[in-house]
Amino acid sequence: MGKHDRKKMPFKHLISFEKLLSKYDEHLRGDDPFLAATAERILAVEKGFPELRNGFSDFTLLEKHKDLIERILQDTFTEALSGNEIKVATLPYQDIIIKSSKRFQNIINEAGEGYEPEIRNVGDDLDYIMSCVVVLNYYYGYQLDFSRPYFYDIPDANGVMRHYRILYNADFIDIIPTDKAKEITQEDVDELLANPNDAALWMEKIPPESFISKGFVIANLFDVTMEQAISNIKSKLISKDTLQPVKFMNDLQETFKSFFRLPNIKVGFASFDAKKEQFEEVAGIGFESFLLRGKHAVDCKQALCVDSYTKLIDYNSYFTIADMDRMVQQSGDVQPYKGLQDQGVQSAIFAPIAYEGNLLGVLEIVSQKKGVLNGVNAQKLDDVLPFIVSAVVRAKNEDNNRIDAIIQNECTSVHSSVYWRFQEEAKRFMLDETEGRSPSFKEIVFKDVYPLFGQIDIKDSSHARNLAIQRDLMIQLSEIDAVLNIALKKWNLPIYEELIFRVNNHLDSIKEMLYTNSEQAIFDFVQDEISPVFEHLKKSDKEIKSHILAYEAKIDMGTGSYYDHRKNYDESVTQINKTLSAVIDKRQESAQAMFPHYYERYKTDGVEHNMYIGSSISESKEYNPLYLNNLRLWQLQVMCEMENAHYSLKPKLPVPLDAASLILVYNTSLSIRFRMDEKQFDVDGTYNARYEVIKKRIDKSYIKGTEQRLTQKGVLSIVYSQKKDELEYLRYIKFLKSKGYFTDKIEIVELEGLQGVSGLKAIRAQILYKREQEPEKTYTYQDLMDALKD
């Protein structure tokens, strides 16, 4: 008991039975002869022992006066109810036992030898403050709410933790001030309430042992294990503690043991995928699944028999196995439960986690003992399943939100430079919603921005693609022809001759040139007429079967045709796009740091990019036309770097494709509007549409009066319409030439009028390729200015 003596408290505890005995004094003087006789018997006990009324703080006297105290409290602890009531005479918030009911003693004995019950969730500081609140209420007359529940956690004979709530009856206790007690004003109380955790302050206002608590309290205990288990399951599932999966799982296992009052059960969980009809493991929260047996996924029909499958999946009701050995015997040849038996499972409950009629997963509760889990105690789960369901739904929603975020991030992300504007709009949208207005996400427009466009296009890409297709088709038709000739030799059927004739017709038709519809016509011919014949031939003869299998091995599963030359072409395009995109994306980061601007990049047959810069795009930075000049200079350098990257890559490509570069200079500002349906920015308004028209048609344009295309390999073409732009770019090129980006070969050409667009000119500057890429350095507009001064 030493620990209780050391604990600082506002009370000095005196055990006294005065208030109880004075009730018997009244009964002795009362009219009821039965009550008077009982009172006389009890009051006779205390004669000669004044400390029983005056109070004592020497707790060893409890043992000394044990018999006397038993008799004084005889009525309070009625013998008839002693086997059922969990009741103990004690001191408030102390673990001292003055007398207890038989049931309380049995519970303590079951917990193990030498077990001393301790009140849960009390810390010394908190205890002190709670005791002060009692003083404020009962002595100073304040009305403070201090109805904080107290619990004993006591294990039963099986080691399963049981929880008991304590309710105090304080009829037999008095609070008496000592000379240490201070006067307490309303101001003091306000200060205390403002500092509910400052133990030092509470000790100053209500010092230790400034009051005597004289008497005893009766604590009634109620078994709340079930409610506590439900609450624990609920709070565990709601909490974010799933960040520590092992702890989360262990806690949940213990809680389920208390919930079922069974020491040797285990809990598992498997997620359900309705599309694939399979159970899957839940990653990252430490849940094992007994149905999955360590696999990532199992087909439902393999994990369950028809009856259990129907119960769980179709009707969302419990499926229980009370005797696993019997279940396995009854299952005959199909043994879905053998796996559970092998894991030592002898009884089990499988509970559906279903939401709005859809199965989300299965809660598995298993035991190594027969019969302990059954159809009767399965019904207990009705109380906790709603919480488990809501936790699983929440987890699935969080997953879906994460997935949406990833998709948005990967596929249709809003560019960082304009994200602030979308956030503003989203906040306004939420405000409208909360204030009851019908919210709508307004279109986002940036006015007065200057566009920059550049592309590196793969030269003659359609010709190269057609050539690859043509070669693949010719090889495929030749192989078909060879197989059919073997068949004709063996069986000499006219049908083979006719097919050979048609195969050769197709070959002749594509020898010179591949027409638009040739590829589809040959594909259909092979699918509809050759494949069925080959299937038949494979069954007819071993030799011909080996020829057909060799032919089929070269057919690509995805396209159903030969995919050799075309694969080389596709791989080359992919590699070019990947390499060029990586260059500009990496360099973009430094460009954004100079001045925020909108940037987007597309992979087509090559890579093209759009940029828009202007004061409306920057959230806080002051815009100056200098930044446009700077970005134009930056764009020129990056285009040269991309060209160099392609130049280094070309020899390593399966098909050494050429590329040609182009920049469009447009010196009028325009507006861009975010199109909600297409999740992208478009140039806004008809006047501005001219820019889009030029962009689409420019790379197909010719030099005026010639048959020569504007874009050429090894040359960067800069298209413009104003003399001012020409002078600006000639300055940039001269500067970059000094830095080793261009050769001396620079020309100015006029373009043939495009449909609806005329008066365009272009500077064509030959790029100086470097064998070794130097570490990138961005030259700024300031560098250019400094160079011009020199």
Side-chain angles (χ1 to χ4, degrees):
M1 291 293 167
K3 61 178 177 173
H4 303 298
D5 300 340
R6 282 197 309 276
K7 207 170 183 181
K8 272 191 187 169
M9 282 306 229
F11 302 127
K12 185 175 166 54
H13 288 293
L14 280 182
I15 296 175
S16 154
F17 301 97
E18 181 168 21
K19 277 190 102 170
L20 177 63
L21 292 170
S22 56
K23 277 241 188 311
Y24 287 123
D25 290 340
E26 285 171 29
H27 289 170
L28 196 61
R29 295 191 295 274
D31 300 336
D32 188 321
F34 178 75
L35 287 179
T38 308
E40 194 176 350
R41 196 177 69 245
I42 285 170
L43 290 169
V45 173
E46 54 126 3
K47 292 279 188 292
F49 297 104
E51 63 265 37
L52 293 178
R53 275 193 195 251
N54 297 340
F56 55 90
S57 57
D58 178 359
F59 296 155
T60 57
L61 292 179
L62 284 173
E63 190 57 41
K64 187 180 169 189
H65 293 323
K66 191 175 175 196
D67 293 343
L68 299 178
I69 292 168
E70 287 275 333
R71 286 163 72 185
I72 289 173
L73 295 175
Q74 200 173 358
D75 260 15
T76 322
F77 285 75
T78 314
E79 185 60 33
L81 301 176
S82 189
N84 192 8
E85 283 189 338
I86 316 172
K87 192 165 164 183
V88 58
T90 180
L91 294 177
Y93 316 128
Q94 300 284 318
D95 300 321
I96 285 171
I97 296 168
I98 297 169
K99 175 178 168 58
S100 58
S101 67
K102 281 204 180 79
R103 177 144 178 224
F104 182 83
Q105 285 159 13
N106 291 342
I107 287 169
I108 299 298
N109 294 340
E110 267 193 18
E113 206 172 320
Y115 182 84
E116 273 193 40
E118 277 191 41
I119 297 173
R120 184 214 311 169
N121 66 13
V122 294
D124 287 0
D125 285 356
L126 191 63
D127 260 6
Y128 194 97
I129 290 165
M130 291 303 286
S131 301
C132 288
V133 173
V134 174
V135 171
L136 289 172
N137 282 1
Y138 286 94
Y139 179 73
Y140 292 105
Y142 292 99
Q143 307 253 298
L144 306 178
D145 179 9
F146 74 111
S147 53
R148 183 167 177 267
Y150 282 91
F151 296 91
Y152 277 128
D153 301 325
I154 307 172
D156 69 9
N158 293 320
V160 173
M161 191 58 77
R162 307 295 286 275
H163 309 287
Y164 301 92
R165 183 168 181 176
I166 306 165
L167 287 182
Y168 287 115
N169 174 342
D171 287 353
F172 307 115
I173 198 158
D174 259 333
I175 291 175
I176 305 156
T178 69
D179 52 5
K180 289 183 190 172
K182 297 180 175 181
E183 202 173 314
I184 297 277
T185 64
Q186 182 64 50
E187 276 176 21
D188 292 327
V189 175
D190 293 343
E191 191 183 345
L192 290 171
L193 293 181
N195 298 281
N197 301 314
D198 185 349
L201 178 70
W202 288 77
M203 280 185 186
E204 185 200 317
K205 303 285 184 198
I206 303 174
E209 299 194 353
S210 55
F211 285 84
I212 292 169
S213 82
K214 184 181 175 189
F216 67 98
V217 291
I218 292 173
N220 289 285
L221 275 62
F222 298 91
D223 187 338
V224 291
T225 305
M226 188 71 163
E227 293 83 343
Q228 189 72 37
I230 291 171
S231 167
N232 281 357
I233 289 169
K234 186 176 172 184
S235 59
K236 279 191 180 51
L237 293 171
I238 289 168
S239 84
K240 294 283 182 191
D241 204 22
T242 36
L243 298 173
Q244 300 168 291
V246 177
K247 182 182 183 305
F248 171 76
M249 263 318 296
N250 291 343
D251 288 355
L252 211 57
Q253 300 276 12
E254 288 308 310
T255 307
F256 268 100
K257 286 175 186 176
S258 293
F259 180 68
F260 276 102
R261 302 182 182 186
L262 295 167
N264 62 347
I265 60 167
K266 285 184 180 167
V267 182
F269 183 79
S271 180
F272 175 66
D273 185 328
K275 288 184 195 145
K276 295 182 184 166
E277 288 219 334
Q278 64 182 23
F279 293 125
E280 297 172 349
E281 71 169 342
V282 182
I285 61 164
F287 261 117
E288 273 182 71
S289 164
F290 300 94
L291 288 172
L292 292 179
R293 299 182 66 195
K295 294 180 185 159
H296 293 303
V298 169
D299 186 288
C300 294
K301 299 255 170 56
Q302 286 174 358
L304 302 166
C305 67
V306 177
D307 179 30
S308 54
Y309 181 84
T310 309
K311 265 190 168 177
L312 276 174
I313 290 166
D314 296 343
Y315 296 114
N316 298 156
S317 60
Y318 302 132
F319 175 70
T320 53
I321 300 169
D323 183 342
M324 187 62 75
D325 295 344
R326 193 154 150 238
M327 192 72 169
V328 169
Q329 269 176 343
Q330 288 173 347
S331 295
D333 296 337
V334 184
Q335 285 290 358
Y337 302 114
K338 187 86 178 72
L340 290 166
Q341 190 188 37
D342 292 346
Q343 292 172 80
V345 174
Q346 284 296 313
S347 61
I349 299 169
F350 298 107
I353 309 297
Y355 182 65
E356 294 180 349
N358 300 316
L359 187 70
L360 305 174
V362 174
L363 182 71
E364 313 159 348
I365 299 152
V366 302
S367 169
Q368 296 182 333
K369 286 191 175 176
K370 271 189 181 50
V372 298
L373 293 168
N374 50 59
V376 176
N377 58 10
Q379 304 305 318
K380 290 175 67 154
L381 283 169
D382 288 347
D383 293 326
V384 291
L385 272 185
F387 306 126
I388 297 173
V389 169
S390 64
V392 172
V393 168
R394 196 186 79 229
K396 288 229 174 195
N397 285 342
E398 281 176 8
D399 276 356
N400 288 340
N401 290 344
R402 270 204 301 277
I403 290 164
D404 286 348
I406 290 163
I407 290 171
Q408 178 157 3
N409 194 28
E410 295 298 319
C411 309
T412 55
S413 71
V414 171
H415 190 252
S416 57
S417 63
V418 293
Y419 195 67
W420 63 274
R421 186 64 192 79
F422 284 79
Q423 281 180 312
E424 272 183 4
E425 190 54 33
K427 281 176 192 161
R428 193 198 53 75
F429 182 94
M430 281 156 67
L431 189 68
D432 278 1
E433 206 167 31
T434 48
E435 291 179 0
R437 296 190 287 273
S438 58
S440 67
F441 206 92
K442 290 199 177 77
E443 282 192 312
I444 287 169
V445 178
F446 292 100
K447 292 186 171 161
D448 283 333
V449 293
Y450 290 88
L452 293 93
F453 170 74
Q455 68 172 44
I456 294 191
D457 205 18
I458 292 166
K459 284 291 281 173
D460 304 324
S461 57
S462 46
H463 175 69
R465 188 189 289 111
N466 284 347
L467 200 62
I469 294 167
Q470 182 186 17
R471 284 175 182 166
D472 280 342
L473 289 176
M474 287 178 77
I475 298 167
Q476 184 175 5
L477 290 168
S478 304
E479 299 249 348
I480 292 169
D481 182 59
V483 173
L484 290 172
N485 272 301
I486 297 167
L488 184 62
K489 266 193 193 131
K490 274 192 186 276
W491 292 287
N492 198 19
L493 292 175
I495 184 72
Y496 298 138
E497 205 173 343
E498 194 263 345
L499 283 173
I500 290 166
F501 171 73
R502 287 168 67 194
V503 167
N504 283 306
N505 267 352
H506 279 300
L507 259 170
D508 289 340
S509 77
I510 61 166
K511 248 181 197 142
E512 297 308 316
M513 190 180 162
L514 184 74
Y515 293 98
T516 322
N517 59 349
S518 305
E519 187 185 359
Q520 190 60 46
I522 293 168
F523 179 78
D524 292 343
F525 167 65
V526 173
Q527 288 294 99
D528 301 344
E529 312 208 25
I530 300 297
S531 295
V533 171
F534 276 14
E535 283 306 309
H536 162 71
L537 287 173
K538 274 199 284 193
K539 295 172 192 152
S540 311
D541 180 86
K542 268 196 175 163
E543 185 207 349
I544 206 158
K545 183 181 180 181
S546 69
H547 281 287
I548 293 171
L549 288 176
Y551 158 79
E552 285 176 347
K554 296 174 194 164
I555 295 288
D556 176 66
M557 295 304 288
T559 59
S561 342
Y562 259 47
Y563 186 59
D564 185 22
H565 290 83
R566 205 167 358 152
K567 185 173 177 219
N568 288 340
Y569 169 81
D570 287 348
E571 269 181 20
S572 301
V573 171
T574 305
Q575 277 191 47
I576 291 170
N577 284 348
K578 209 169 159 188
T579 306
L580 299 183
S581 300
V583 173
I584 190 165
D585 286 355
K586 179 81 186 76
R587 302 289 273 112
Q588 243 300 297
E589 292 167 19
S590 59
Q592 285 296 339
M594 297 177 201
F595 190 85
H597 57 279
Y598 183 76
Y599 161 76
E600 60 189 5
R601 164 188 59 66
Y602 303 104
K603 290 177 187 170
T604 50
D605 275 354
V607 173
E608 58 182 61
H609 65 269
N610 287 313
M611 294 185 290
Y612 299 98
I613 189 166
S615 58
S616 60
I617 284 177
S618 170
E619 186 180 8
S620 52
K621 211 169 174 182
E622 185 76 25
Y623 175 74
N624 184 298
L626 175 88
Y627 292 119
L628 171 62
N629 303 132
N630 201 49
L631 195 59
R632 285 175 166 182
L633 182 58
W634 174 89
Q635 184 187 31
L636 271 179
Q637 293 172 67
V638 173
M639 291 296 280
C640 290
E641 278 168 30
M642 289 165 82
E643 275 275 6
N644 267 290
H646 175 257
Y647 180 73
S648 305
L649 177 70
K650 185 178 162 184
K652 303 170 198 161
L653 293 172
V655 180
L657 297 164
D658 284 319
S661 303
L662 169 79
I663 284 175
L664 172 61
V665 182
Y666 200 76
N667 71 356
T668 316
S669 67
L670 38 80
S671 296
I672 53 170
R673 179 184 296 270
F674 187 76
R675 293 266 305 272
M676 296 305 285
D677 49 351
E678 290 176 22
K679 299 275 182 288
Q680 67 180 46
F681 277 99
D682 262 354
V683 168
D684 189 30
T686 43
Y687 169 69
N688 295 326
R690 179 173 182 267
Y691 172 70
E692 289 293 335
V693 171
I694 299 173
K695 237 167 60 173
K696 296 244 179 352
R697 297 178 182 163
I698 195 168
D699 62 335
K700 305 286 186 288
S701 58
Y702 288 90
I703 306 294
K704 200 167 192 177
T706 70
E707 291 295 306
Q708 191 192 38
R709 288 283 282 271
L710 163 68
T711 52
Q712 300 290 324
K713 71 172 183 176
V715 171
L716 175 56
S717 303
I718 302 155
V719 178
Y720 60 93
S721 60
Q722 305 282 332
K723 186 70 179 169
K724 183 170 154 286
D725 297 330
E726 180 184 293
L727 295 172
E728 184 181 339
Y729 272 85
L730 285 172
R731 254 182 28 229
Y732 296 157
I733 291 165
K734 187 178 173 190
F735 171 65
L736 292 175
K737 193 172 74 173
S738 72
K739 303 293 179 192
Y741 282 86
F742 296 108
T743 71
D744 285 336
K745 199 172 171 198
I746 295 163
E747 59 176 338
I748 293 176
V749 294
E750 258 186 86
L751 302 191
E752 199 69 67
L754 298 168
Q755 190 185 344
V757 180
S758 58
L760 292 180
K761 292 171 86 176
I763 300 168
R764 295 208 296 185
Q766 191 178 52
I767 295 156
L768 177 61
Y769 292 109
K770 302 163 196 150
R771 274 282 163 217
E772 289 303 314
Q773 280 286 82
E774 291 168 21
E776 59 197 38
K777 167 163 176 28
T778 304
Y779 294 102
T780 64
Y781 193 70
Q782 194 53 50
D783 295 330
L784 170 66
M785 290 293 131
D786 294 344
L788 291 176
K789 280 180 204 158
D790 295 345

